[in-house]
Amino acid sequence: MNPGKYAALVEQARRLGRVRSEVWQRYGSINGVGSGLRDRQVRDRWLADGTHASFAVLANAWKETVRDTMADIAANLEAAKVEVRRAIGRRTKDPAERKRMFTALKAGRWASDPFLARQMRQHWKRGHNRAHDQIVVRADNYNTLTDGRGRLWLAVPGLEPRRMVRIPLSTTVAPTGTLRLILRGGRVEVHYQIDAAGMRSSQRPCGDQTLGVDKGYTEALTDSDGQPHGEQLGELLARESDRSKERNRRRAKLRSIANTAALRGDHAKAQRIKANNLGTIKRDRQAARHRARVRTEIFTAVHEVVDKAATVVAEDLTKRFAERKKLPKNINRRLAAWTKGVTAEALKSVSERRGSAHVPVNAAYTSQTCHRCGDFGRRDGNRFHCTRCGVVWQADVNAAINILQRAGDPDIALHTPHQRVKQILQDRTDRHRTRLPVQDSSPTTTAERRAKHPNRSVMSNKEEAVDQDRSGDVDGDGLGTRGVLCGRAEDAQVGDTGTGGPHRSRGEAQSTRQFDTHSQLTGRPVMVVKRLSDAQRALRRYRVVIVVDS
């Protein structure tokens, strides 16, 4: 595409950016979308008072921009309501009061409730427009054609009536539906949506298991069967972090030289450095390629999980970190690129497209407690040391099993505060300790204990049978078939599957099994998960991006 066409599109996007800013300024608060105002009402007002004439763009262009901006404001409002729902869960435990608040929040009557109004003012801040490089084109306002050489062209409206701007596309598939043109780094990106039912990945069947998955840094996911997925993610993030560190160091040095030259009066040198060495086009393209590789790695990992599972239990990745301890700069920079949002998007998207169920749970302390006894332990890298069991677990697998067990927990809901979760887990641990057998397992002592506590012996036998059935332990050695137990703490080796590693004695194995997690002692309720039908999954649409060089 020649520079003249690109300059015309840039000017049109700049003027439409003024439209977006005006909509955000006037209606991005409680008096706008918060009061139920719709985009058609805004259009009618601007046509009546002549506001539209000041934008100097075609009518369809600014009307579509108004509709798109009002949708952005509504999405911003819904994001604030998510935080308010969590605050409601922390405020009261009364089901009737919770239902009243949730109903008022959903119906938009939160302004009359003092608590809801205060929370909405805290979490719903007036937004500001920063999109001055986008053009929204309605489905009936553009056309496509193929020239004699088989090249596909897209014709979109310009600033003047009946004067179309023709853009050569780098694909042979014509876009459909509403288009979004994004002008970035001398390129035109054409974004549009496609039907999810037509994607090849949507035709792949899901598995039949119920798996818990833990989000990691070195790998994208680890499931409760002990299998890692997306093992190249950590290497991708670390390599990009180190490259970015070195690049920014060099750019800072060049910027210092340019500033020193400007102070000496050598403005020509400063301008040459800024124009030739401090540009952003190449940097932005490299960042886009890195993001694409990371998304591919994460989505591939999620597809591998769904290949095995009909129900995927995962931590709620929408929550923010709270009170994280201070870390070195290098670690903070790598964690800043942690792809939590992409993983949440992939889990939801792939599960819906392929017909599996995605169950988010409260993951508080799932990486700090032992999945067998429920006691708090010590994590050291990829090892989790449980001092009460006397064993070492693979840390990510231990967390994934805890997440799977958390799905049916009757006491820990999705928005239960982490302080309350810790108290619940400590109370359970204290109760389990009172049920422990005596360390001396001689026949005389055992007979006396059974005579004094007959019910406890029956319960221990039942728990042992349940635990053997759950973990696949059929020979009574305490190792099972899950492949995550690594032997005793003093001679443990991470990765030992239990077939050739150090074994515990039968008495020690039984002692460990006799205090299992709370879910087994109480009889965990069966999960009831609603799955999307084929018709519902077909309604989801996904974005396609075509990049055109100018």
Side-chain angles (χ1 to χ4, degrees):
M1 188 172 62
N2 61 53
K5 292 180 180 180
Y6 187 79
L9 292 176
V10 168
E11 177 61 22
Q12 184 178 358
R14 186 189 66 80
R15 297 183 187 183
L16 293 176
R18 290 181 49 228
V19 178
R20 290 180 181 274
S21 299
E22 191 70 16
V23 175
W24 271 103
Q25 177 64 28
R26 293 191 183 187
Y27 309 111
S29 64
I30 188 174
N31 295 325
V33 173
S35 62
L37 191 67
R38 304 298 178 188
D39 61 287
R40 189 170 293 274
Q41 295 172 300
V42 175
R43 289 161 47 184
D44 294 342
R45 289 183 184 181
W46 285 8
L47 287 171
D49 60 17
T51 303
H52 67 285
S54 62
F55 301 130
V57 292
L58 299 181
N60 286 328
W62 71 261
K63 287 178 181 179
E64 283 299 304
T65 302
V66 169
R67 180 192 59 78
D68 188 65
T69 309
M70 293 293 283
D72 290 342
I73 298 175
N76 189 27
L77 174 62
E78 292 302 320
K81 288 183 178 180
V82 173
E83 299 296 332
V84 177
R85 291 190 188 97
R86 292 173 179 166
I88 293 174
R90 293 190 296 266
R91 178 178 176 84
T92 178
K93 303 299 180 184
D94 184 13
E97 181 65 11
R98 280 187 174 185
K99 183 177 180 180
R100 183 192 68 80
M101 288 188 176
F102 286 143
T103 303
L105 184 65
K106 183 177 180 180
R109 299 192 302 268
W110 48 268
S112 58
D113 185 283
F115 174 75
L116 294 180
R118 186 167 62 253
Q119 290 294 322
M120 286 300 296
R121 286 196 302 270
Q122 177 182 351
H123 296 291
W124 189 29
K125 307 295 184 181
R126 178 186 290 273
H128 300 280
N129 172 52
R130 294 178 178 84
H132 297 274
D133 57 354
Q134 298 185 16
I135 304 173
V136 180
V137 185
R138 207 169 62 192
D140 58 347
N141 284 348
Y142 67 89
N143 56 71
T144 57
L145 55 93
T146 305
D147 59 16
R149 296 183 297 175
R151 192 173 188 180
L152 186 64
W153 292 75
L154 172 68
V156 298
L159 291 174
E160 300 179 10
R162 295 179 295 278
R163 291 287 299 273
M164 307 289 282
V165 178
R166 289 176 172 79
I167 306 172
L169 300 182
S170 58
T171 179
T172 57
V173 180
T176 58
T178 301
L179 305 183
R180 183 186 301 273
L181 307 183
I182 300 181
L183 313 177
R184 183 181 298 157
R187 293 181 170 186
V188 180
E189 299 179 2
V190 182
H191 296 241
Y192 66 98
Q193 293 178 331
I194 62 173
D195 192 353
M199 302 176 65
R200 286 186 300 175
S201 59
S202 300
Q203 311 301 325
R204 293 168 58 181
C206 60
D208 54 0
Q209 303 182 45
T210 299
L211 290 179
V213 293
D214 177 59
K215 169 76 174 74
Y217 178 81
T218 56
E219 58 278 324
L221 297 171
T222 302
D223 62 34
S224 51
D225 282 347
Q227 182 178 357
H229 305 275
E231 299 177 78
Q232 301 300 319
L233 178 63
E235 182 181 350
L236 281 174
L237 297 179
R239 186 167 61 244
E240 176 65 16
S241 174
D242 295 340
R243 191 182 66 83
S244 175
K245 174 184 176 181
E246 180 62 21
R247 180 193 61 205
N248 291 337
R249 185 187 66 81
R250 293 176 179 177
R251 287 174 64 93
K253 184 175 181 179
L254 288 171
R255 189 177 294 109
S256 175
I257 295 174
N259 293 338
T260 303
L263 290 176
R264 292 199 311 263
D266 193 353
H267 298 285
K269 180 179 179 179
Q271 188 61 31
R272 286 195 304 271
I273 294 177
K274 291 181 180 179
N276 301 321
N277 302 102
L278 296 178
T280 60
I281 295 178
K282 182 178 179 181
R283 182 191 64 183
D284 293 343
R285 291 181 180 178
Q286 290 175 343
R289 285 195 295 268
H290 168 71
R291 289 193 298 267
R293 286 193 292 266
V294 169
R295 287 181 64 89
T296 299
E297 186 72 17
I298 292 176
F299 271 81
T300 302
V302 174
H303 275 292
E304 292 176 358
V305 172
V306 177
D307 285 339
K308 300 171 55 179
T311 302
V312 180
V313 184
E315 61 179 302
D316 181 15
L317 294 171
T318 61
K319 290 187 177 181
R320 294 190 292 265
F321 290 116
E323 300 179 1
R324 194 174 67 187
K325 63 180 181 180
K326 189 175 181 180
L327 298 172
K329 284 184 178 181
N330 196 39
I331 301 298
N332 278 330
R333 185 177 59 257
R334 296 188 179 190
L335 289 179
W338 205 43
T339 52
K340 195 172 63 165
V342 179
T343 305
E345 176 192 351
L347 285 169
K348 181 179 179 181
S349 170
V350 174
S351 297
E352 289 181 352
R353 283 195 281 127
R354 297 183 56 184
S356 64
H358 172 224
V359 183
V361 298
N362 189 334
Y365 298 102
T366 53
S367 62
Q368 302 179 36
T369 56
C370 175
H371 74 271
R372 180 177 290 275
C373 68
D375 201 0
F376 284 85
R378 177 177 59 87
R379 178 165 181 172
D380 182 15
N382 61 351
R383 296 187 179 197
F384 178 82
H385 300 260
C386 179
T387 55
R388 182 157 296 276
C389 292
V391 295
V392 179
W393 306 94
Q394 209 286 336
D396 293 332
V397 180
N398 176 71
I401 299 174
N402 279 330
I403 289 172
L404 177 61
Q405 295 172 348
R406 190 66 60 84
D409 198 304
D411 301 324
I412 302 177
L414 181 61
H415 300 306
T416 303
H418 66 91
Q419 298 91 342
R420 175 60 182 159
V421 173
K422 186 174 184 179
Q423 184 62 44
I424 292 172
L425 296 176
Q426 288 177 339
D427 292 344
R428 291 176 182 175
T429 303
D430 294 339
R431 289 199 301 270
H432 297 166
R433 286 172 180 169
T434 62
R435 306 172 69 94
L436 285 175
V438 223
Q439 293 300 322
D440 186 2
S441 57
S442 63
T444 305
T445 309
T446 304
E448 293 176 357
R449 178 173 54 83
R450 290 182 176 176
K452 294 180 181 179
H453 307 284
N455 294 334
R456 182 178 301 176
S457 301
V458 174
M459 177 63 70
S460 300
N461 294 334
K462 289 182 178 179
E463 291 167 10
E464 180 177 347
V466 169
D467 184 48
Q468 289 182 358
D469 179 69
R470 178 181 65 85
S471 63
D473 186 6
V474 295
D475 55 359
D477 61 358
L479 295 176
T481 57
R482 191 175 294 278
V484 294
L485 180 60
C486 302
R488 302 202 53 172
E490 58 267 20
D491 55 3
Q493 293 182 359
V494 175
D496 192 319
T497 61
T499 57
H503 288 226
R504 294 176 293 164
S505 66
R506 184 176 180 85
E508 291 171 335
Q510 290 177 351
S511 300
T512 303
R513 286 195 300 270
Q514 285 171 352
F515 54 97
D516 211 333
T517 56
H518 176 75
S519 58
Q520 294 179 357
L521 294 176
T522 60
R524 187 175 62 197
V526 179
M527 285 190 301
V528 179
V529 180
K530 180 181 178 182
R531 297 185 185 176
L532 296 179
S533 64
D534 293 339
Q536 289 173 318
R537 284 189 284 117
L539 293 177
R540 285 191 60 89
R541 303 180 67 85
Y542 292 87
R543 188 180 67 184
V544 173
V545 181
I546 303 173
V547 180
V548 180
D549 289 325
S550 61

